Each structure stands twice: as structure tokens, then as C-alpha cells.
């Protein structure tokens, strides 16, 4: 159970047990006024500068009859079929059924024709990571065999909530096999390239989810995050990735529903889209309500004039020794620029903090995630399926088998102590700020495409800032803030107090606003809205 700290100011609270589409409608009212002229240039459909189409842009286009969900779906299907024919294989979706996409799009188109869309998410294309159930697709976890031992008969809870809001669920995204890697390498199906540079990794393990959003093909995708697997690829691909407080979203119907470090959350092109998708999928499972005692889920009221005053009252915590422990000064320079702008434009103060036992924290995460992954996979590995795993996954499992039950118990005690340190820090600061990753997108070695890769230095650099939020269950978000000298995206991470998603979303929104002018069109980008 988390300590309850001061309630967040300037928020709108949502009903966990209400209808997802009603929560989405309430979230829509929390957003700033939508001005079509800011997105549409003289009706030509061309933005003034590069920016991603937002969910509200699609909704406006559908309501104005500029296009239909079916027309958008056809553009999407054409692009995916071209991508799937590329050699070497690098699919973003590893389970895809054009007929199923067309069926959902036709139903959405009809709702718009009748004037009864279910929510602003109606007709919005959303992809689902391959470790979250989305019927009728199998859930393979990026492997070649897991669907043989685990059948999918219904949607995961998070997917069903999106479906009831009218979203078009386009298929299952590529991922690092069983989430056991941070690069997104997958020799089983092919390794997706980073839309900003196809010779670079997307980051993982939600690799296809981040790439499909960054390339413009989907407004949003669901990912899972057990060690940075939403935030790392979001950062490397230049999009937004939200990790919620552990227990804020229901993991039922995911491969990781029995774990203690993993959550399901959104990867989106913009912060406001993350707010809308988060509103749809939030809601603790009944089993988590008693032990976790979640506070009411809240959203920042960005429509209010008070929002900037609230920003000025926030204190940000920065542990300089950790913050600067990265491979490139490009990253720290950009992150420092953002902190300076937050102070000068909004009055957000940054104060120095010290976070004890970061090395021990990494050990606690490795033993916890490793032991829980082994519980999922070991029965089938012992039954002969282990030989069908990639070399990378087999290497990880060999390490995890070295952990004793007493190791797992010991690190849970360590976890409580590290949580105490952080809760003391959160008495002085509202948010902890770090770079999202210790490096930008690494190169894909040609040999790794066929046989995979185990590069522990890259793994450590990509994960070093992310795992705190997983082992402690804290909410965190990665927001794009610019590029390094090679043109590769850089992300800033905001780690919040337990249950305080609204605070990090508010801060991410304003960071996105003043970073927008630096946003660049990815090398591989598809405009599937294509309104004439």
C-alpha cells in the first residue's frame, strides 16, 4: 500500500467503475480549446509545420465529413501491406487482418453517418502490443510458440475499454521476445527500424507500438512497461509514453497479470492523446483495490486558466550525479534547457536531491522482474519449448534461474526501504526529473537481425533511469524534447508521486508545448488522414 500524500490541485476526478467512453468524454473537457485553424491550413489539410495529427484532428475530420474511418483504414492497410513486403523483414504488426480492420472501420463510419459516435476515440486507429490480448488475434509475446499454450478468447480489460469507446484495433505489434530486452530486436519476425533512422533500434520492448505511432500510422498504441518498455521506445522514437502507477490500469488479459512491476499504458504522438487513451483504459482490478487502496484517478484540467499558476507551485527534484551519468552531453544539455525554460516561463523550481541505493535498486528490479518472468515461462520451457526461444531470451532466463527464492524475498524487503527513501524525497518535491534514457537510439548490427543480440552495456544505458518507476510502482512519462547532433530523438522523464498521474501529465503538456517547434518529421512517415 502506498502512502497517501497531498491531493493534486486543479484536477478533475474520474469514476473508476464508470463507462470508459464517459471517462473519455470527461477527459475531452479537460483539454484546451480545440481550434481547427491551428491544425488545418486554409482547409487544405496541410499543417503549418510538422506536427502529428491528434485524435481531435481525426474527430474533426470525421464530423466535418472530410473523410471517414473506412477511408483512413484503407490508407493504413495499404501502408502496412507495403511495409510487410519489405526485405529484410521488419514488420510493425506481427498479427494483422485487413478484413477485421475494415469491419471495425465500417461500423465506425456508420456511427458517424448516423451522428452517434461512441466517443472522441471512435474511428481512431490503435495498435496493441503482442503481450496484451486482443481477440481474435493470438498473443505470442513476440515468440513463435506462446499462442500454442495460451489461447485468446476475449479482449484484455484495457483493450475492451478501448473497443467500447469506438477505437479501431488494428492488430498486434512487434516486440522484443517476452519483453526481455530494451532494443526491440526480434529475429523471429524481423526487427523494426526507428522511423527517424531505420538503421537504428526503436527501443523496446514495446518496439512496434512506438514505431507505428512515430511513423504516423496510428494515433496510439498500447504497450506494457516492466522495466521501461513503454518509455524507452517512446523516447528513442520521439513520441510520448505513459507508465501509470502500478495497479492504476487492470492487467487482466496480459501475459504479465500476475507480476508486480509491469503495467499496461499508452504510447501516443502527443500528451493530449495520452490523456484521452489513459482515461479510457484506467481502472484498477478488483483484486488490487484492497491491497493498493488507490486514490481516485484524476486528470489535469488544462482548460482552466489556473493551470499555469499550478505549474508555478511545482518543485522538481534533480539528482545531478545520476542525471549526468550518460553517454552524450547532447542529452543532458537538452534536458537542462527544458528545466531552465520551466523556471523562466512558469516558475517551476528545480532543487537538488540525493537518491540513495540506486545500485541496490537495480539489483532489486533484476531479481524481481527475472523471477516473475521465470514463473511465467519456466513450465513451458521445461516442457520442451525453451529450445524455440531466441538466444537473447535464453541468456536472460539462464541468469534468472540463478536466483533463489530467498533472493526474491530479500529484494522485496530492499524494495520497501528504497520506497521509504523516495517517499521522503516526495515530501520535498512534486516530481523527479531525469533523461528518459542514457543514450539515443543505438545502431542495429547487421548480424543481430538474424541471430539477435545481447549487449549488456546498451541494455544498462537504456534502462538506467526507467526502472525506478517499475520497482516502486510510481507513475512516469517520457516526453520528446528535441534531438541529438545525429538527429535522433531525446526524451525527458518525469517521475511522479503514487497515483499522481495528473501532475506529470500537466507538466508534460507544457514541456511538449515549448518543444513543439523543434519537432521533426521522421524519415519514415505516413499521412493516413490525407484530407484534400
Amino acid at each position: 500500500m502506498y502512502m497517501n500524500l497531498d491531493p493534486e490541485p486543479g484536477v478533475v476526478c474520474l469514476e473508476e467503475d464508470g463507462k470508459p467512453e464517459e471517462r473519455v468524454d470527461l477527459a475531452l473537457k479537460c483539454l484546451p480549446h480545440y481550434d481547427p485553424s491551428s491544425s488545418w491550413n486554409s482547409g487544405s489539410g496541410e499543417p503549418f509545420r510538422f506536427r502529428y495529427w491528434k485524435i481531435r484532428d481525426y474527430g474533426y475530420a470525421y464530423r466535418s465529413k472530410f473523410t471517414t474511418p473506412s477511408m483512413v483504414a484503407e490508407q493504413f492497410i495499404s501502408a502496412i501491406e507495403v511495409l510487410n513486403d519489405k526485405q529484410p523483414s521488419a514488420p510493425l504488426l506481427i498479427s494483422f487482418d485487413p478484413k477485421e480492420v475494415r469491419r471495425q472501420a465500417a461500423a465506425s463510419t456508420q456511427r458517424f453517418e448516423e451522428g452517434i459516435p461512441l466517443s472522441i476515440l471512435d474511428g481512431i486507429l490503435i495498435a496493441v502490443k503482442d503481450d496484451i490480448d486482443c481477440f481474435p488475434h493470438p498473443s505470442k509475446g513476440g515468440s513463435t510458440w506462446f499462442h500454442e499454450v495460451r489461447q485468446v478468447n476475449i479482449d484484455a480489460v484495457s483493450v475492451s475499454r478501448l473497443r467500447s469507446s469506438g477505437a479501431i484495433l488494428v492488430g498486434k505489434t512487434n516486440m522484443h521476445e517476452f519483453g526481455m530486452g530494451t532494443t526491440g530486436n526480434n529475429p523471429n519476425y524481423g526487427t523494426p527500424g526507428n522511423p527517424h533512422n531505420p538503421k537504428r533500434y526503436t527501443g523496446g520492448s514495446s518496439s512496434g507500438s512506438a514505431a507505428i505511432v512515430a511513423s504516423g500510422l496510428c494515433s496510439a498504441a498500447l504497450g506494457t512497461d516492466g522495466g521501461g518498455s513503454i518509455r524507452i521506445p517512446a523516447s528513442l522514437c520521439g513520441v510520448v509514453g505513459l507508465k501509470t502507477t502500478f495497479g492504476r490500469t487492470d492487467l487482466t488479459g496480459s501475459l504479465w497479470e500476475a507480476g508486480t512491476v509491469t503495467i499496461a499504458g499508452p504510447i501516443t504522438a502527443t500528451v493530449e492523446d495520452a490523456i484521452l487513451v489513459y482515461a479510457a483504459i484506467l481502472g484498477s482490478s478488483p483484486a488490487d483495490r484492497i491491497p493498493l487502496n488507490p486514490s481516485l484517478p484524476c486528470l489535469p484540467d488544462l482548460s482552466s486558466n489556473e493551470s499555469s499558476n499550478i505549474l508555478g507551485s511545482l518543485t522538481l527534484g534533480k539528482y545531478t550525479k545520476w542525471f549526468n551519468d550518460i553517454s552524450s552531453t547532447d542529452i543532458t544539455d537538452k534536458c537542462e534547457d527544458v528545466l531552465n525554460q520551466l523556471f523562466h516561463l512558469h516558475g517551476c523550481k528545480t532543487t537538488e536531491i540525493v537518491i540513495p541505493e540506486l545500485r541496490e535498486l537495480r539489483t532489486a528490479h533484476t531479481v524481481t522482474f527475472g523471477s516473475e518472468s521465470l514463473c511465467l515461462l519456466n513450465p513451458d520451457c521445461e516442457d520442451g519449448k525453451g529450445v524455440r526461444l531466441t538466444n537473447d531470451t535464453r541468456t536472460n532466463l539462464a541468469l534468472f534461474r540463478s536466483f533463489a527464492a530467498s533472493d526474491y524475498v530479500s529484494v522485496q524487503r530492499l524494495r520497501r526501504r528504497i520506497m521509504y527513501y523516495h517517499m521522503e524525497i516526495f515530501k520535498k518535491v512534486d516530481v523527479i526529473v531525469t533523461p528518459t534514457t542514457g543514450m539515443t537510439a543505438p545502431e542495429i548490427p547487421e548480424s543481430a537481425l538474424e541471430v539477435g543480440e545481447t549487449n549488456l552495456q546498451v541494455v544498462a544505458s537504456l534502462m538506467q533511469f526507467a526502472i525506478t518507476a517499475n520497482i516502486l510502482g510510481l507513475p512516469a512519462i517520457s516526453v520528446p524534447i528535441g534531438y541529438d547532433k545525429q538527429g535522433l530523438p531525446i526524451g525527458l522523464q518525469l517521475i511522479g508521486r503514487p497515483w499522481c498521474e495528473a501532475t506529470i501529465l500537466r507538466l508534460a503538456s507544457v514541456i511538449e508545448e515549448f518543444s513543439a517547434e523543434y519537432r521533426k518529421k521522421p524519415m519514415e512517415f505516413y499521412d493516413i488522414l490525407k484530407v484534400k
Side-chain angles (χ1 to χ4, degrees), residues 65 92 171 175 202:
K65 302 195 182 331
L92 301 180
M175 61 177 285
T202 58

Side-chain angles (χ1 to χ4, degrees), residues 436-452:
T436 305
T437 58
M439 66 189 299
T440 51
E443 289 186 33
I444 306 173
E446 201 167 322
S447 60
L449 294 174
E450 283 189 35
V451 297

Side-chain angles (χ1 to χ4, degrees), residues 94 130 138-152 175-180 186-189 255-256 373-391 393-394 397 401:
I94 55 178
D130 195 37
S139 290
K140 302 175 185 177
S143 76
T144 58
W145 57 268
F146 202 66
H147 60 295
E148 298 170 9
V149 299
R150 182 181 180 279
Q151 301 300 310
V152 174
M175 61 177 285
H176 207 115
E177 187 179 60
F178 290 116
M180 290 191 204
N186 189 324
N188 293 328
Y189 297 98
L255 272 56
W256 310 106
S373 300
L374 202 60
C375 282
L376 170 72
L377 296 174
N378 216 36
D380 296 309
C381 290
E382 291 180 349
D383 203 27
K385 296 290 195 302
V387 295
R388 296 169 65 183
L389 293 167
T390 62
N391 294 334
T393 305
R394 289 161 78 175
L397 289 178
R401 287 192 184 97

Side-chain angles (χ1 to χ4, degrees), residues 71-125:
M71 291 164 69
V72 168
E74 288 304 323
Q75 296 287 351
F76 173 84
I77 290 165
S78 298
I80 290 294
E81 288 175 343
V82 169
L83 281 168
N84 286 349
D85 287 339
K86 276 191 175 180
Q87 293 300 326
S89 178
L92 301 180
L93 294 176
I94 55 178
S95 182
F96 169 59
D97 182 352
K99 287 182 183 174
E100 176 64 15
V101 174
R102 287 187 175 108
R103 182 191 67 76
Q104 294 176 71
S108 179
T109 298
Q110 185 171 347
R111 289 193 291 270
F112 276 99
E113 286 174 356
E114 295 172 0
I116 51 168
L118 297 173
S119 77
I120 193 65
L121 295 182
D122 208 331
I124 301 300
L125 305 188

Side-chain angles (χ1 to χ4, degrees), residues 108-242:
S108 179
T109 298
Q110 185 171 347
R111 289 193 291 270
F112 276 99
E113 286 174 356
E114 295 172 0
I116 51 168
L118 297 173
S119 77
I120 193 65
L121 295 182
D122 208 331
I124 301 300
L125 305 188
I126 298 182
V128 179
K129 189 178 178 183
D130 195 37
D131 58 358
I132 303 172
D133 293 345
C134 179
F135 185 80
H137 302 277
S139 290
K140 302 175 185 177
S143 76
T144 58
W145 57 268
F146 202 66
H147 60 295
E148 298 170 9
V149 299
R150 182 181 180 279
Q151 301 300 310
V152 174
N153 299 311
I154 58 171
D155 289 332
V157 169
S158 55
V159 172
S160 71
R161 288 171 177 169
L162 289 172
R163 202 185 289 277
S164 68
S165 302
I168 299 172
L169 302 161
V170 298
K172 306 299 290 295
T173 57
N174 204 341
M175 61 177 285
H176 207 115
E177 187 179 60
F178 290 116
M180 290 191 204
T182 57
T183 61
N185 180 288
N186 189 324
N188 293 328
Y189 297 98
T191 297
N194 192 311
H196 289 271
N197 183 338
K199 293 183 179 178
R200 301 273 178 163
Y201 280 122
T202 58
S205 62
S206 307
S207 51
S209 290
I212 207 166
V213 171
S215 61
L217 288 166
C218 286
S219 296
L222 283 187
T224 54
D225 192 318
S229 287
I230 284 173
R231 290 158 290 149
I232 291 168
S235 177
L236 267 52
C237 290
V239 290
V240 176
L242 174 65

Side-chain angles (χ1 to χ4, degrees), residues 333-403:
D333 289 347
K334 286 287 180 189
C335 292
E336 288 283 5
D337 285 348
V338 169
L339 298 183
N340 289 333
Q341 288 195 69
L342 284 172
F343 175 69
H344 291 300
L345 296 176
H346 298 283
C348 300
K349 300 175 206 65
T350 300
T351 188
E352 184 67 20
I353 58 173
V354 175
I355 305 175
E357 300 189 5
L358 284 171
R359 183 175 295 177
E360 290 80 358
L361 183 148
R362 288 194 286 271
T363 301
H365 178 268
T366 302
V367 174
T368 302
F369 177 78
S371 302
E372 292 173 1
S373 300
L374 202 60
C375 282
L376 170 72
L377 296 174
N378 216 36
D380 296 309
C381 290
E382 291 180 349
D383 203 27
K385 296 290 195 302
V387 295
R388 296 169 65 183
L389 293 167
T390 62
N391 294 334
D392 188 23
T393 305
R394 289 161 78 175
T395 301
N396 280 312
L397 289 178
L399 167 65
F400 300 159
R401 287 192 184 97
S402 71
F403 304 149

